[in-house]
Amino acid sequence: MKKYIALILSLLTVLCLCAACGHSGTAVVSNDPGMDVISAAANGAVGNEDMQDIPDSYIQNTMKISADSYSECVAKISKVGTNIDEYGIFKTDDVEAMKAALEDYLEYREMIWMDEYLPTEHPKLQNAQVWVLGDYVMYAILDSDTISAAKTAFEGCFEI
C-alpha cells in the first residue's frame, strides 16, 4: 500500500511541476494586470516624452502583424529621427505566434540596417529583445539601461 501511495504522490508532484511550467517557455502568470497598467509601467520606464504611437499601417505592412492577431496593442517609436528607440506590447491569444512575428520583425530591421546610418544607434537594434508573460508579448529596441528598466517594469506588472 505504501508503494502505491508513494507512486501516486510522485505522479501528482510531476503533474504539478508540468502544469507550473506552462507551454514553450512562456511564464505562467496568476493575474492579468491589463494593458493600461502594463503600458503605464513601460512608458514610465522608457520615458514617453519623445515617443509617438506607431501607426496601425506600419504594424500591418512593415511588422507583418495583422490586426486580428491581437486584441490590444500599445506600440511607440521615437519622434526624433536620430534615435531608433521603439517598443510595443501586444495582448494576444497566440503568444508563440506573436513572439515569432516580433522576432521576424527585429531580424528584418537588422537585415536592412545600413552601417553608415546612425552607427551609435545600431547596438540598440543588435540587443533588441522580446518577452512573453501571460497573454502579453513585449518587444523593445532600446539602449541597455532602458531595455533593462523596460523588462523590469513589464515583469513587475505580473505575479509570477
Side-chain angles (χ1 to χ4, degrees):
M1 185 69 168
K2 289 182 183 180
K3 289 182 183 179
Y4 292 114
I5 292 173
L7 178 64
I8 290 171
L9 287 175
S10 296
L11 289 173
L12 286 174
T13 301
V14 170
L15 183 62
C16 288
L17 288 173
C18 289
C21 290
H23 56 84
S24 304
T26 302
V28 175
V29 294
S30 61
N31 71 336
D32 180 348
M35 184 61 83
D36 290 342
V37 169
I38 299 168
S39 176
N43 287 340
V46 173
N48 205 15
E49 306 83 39
D50 294 328
M51 303 293 277
Q52 65 186 8
D53 291 335
I54 294 177
D56 293 338
S57 59
Y58 184 89
I59 293 170
Q60 185 167 349
N61 299 325
T62 304
M63 297 176 78
K64 306 294 186 210
I65 298 173
S66 67
D68 62 356
S69 66
Y70 57 90
S71 58
E72 294 180 80
C73 167
V74 171
K76 304 278 186 179
I77 194 166
S78 177
K79 293 182 213 177
V80 181
T82 57
N83 183 330
I84 67 166
D85 287 0
E86 180 180 333
Y87 71 93
I89 307 160
F90 296 84
K91 183 175 183 181
T92 179
D93 291 333
D94 191 349
V95 293
E96 293 304 321
M98 182 61 70
K99 181 180 180 207
L102 290 169
E103 287 170 343
D104 288 347
Y105 167 65
L106 295 174
E107 285 179 29
Y108 167 75
R109 290 284 307 268
E110 181 66 32
M111 182 182 70
I112 64 168
W113 183 263
M114 295 184 299
D115 288 330
E116 332 50 69
Y117 179 73
L118 302 173
T120 58
E121 292 292 293
H122 194 212
K124 293 178 182 180
L125 186 56
Q126 292 172 315
N127 297 316
Q129 296 181 23
V130 178
W131 311 290
V132 176
L133 277 172
D135 293 336
Y136 295 87
V137 183
M138 181 175 179
Y139 79 98
I141 303 171
L142 303 163
D143 65 60
S144 61
D145 291 339
T146 309
I147 205 165
S148 178
K151 181 179 183 184
T152 299
F154 177 64
E155 291 174 343
C157 294
F158 297 87
E159 294 175 6
I160 299 177

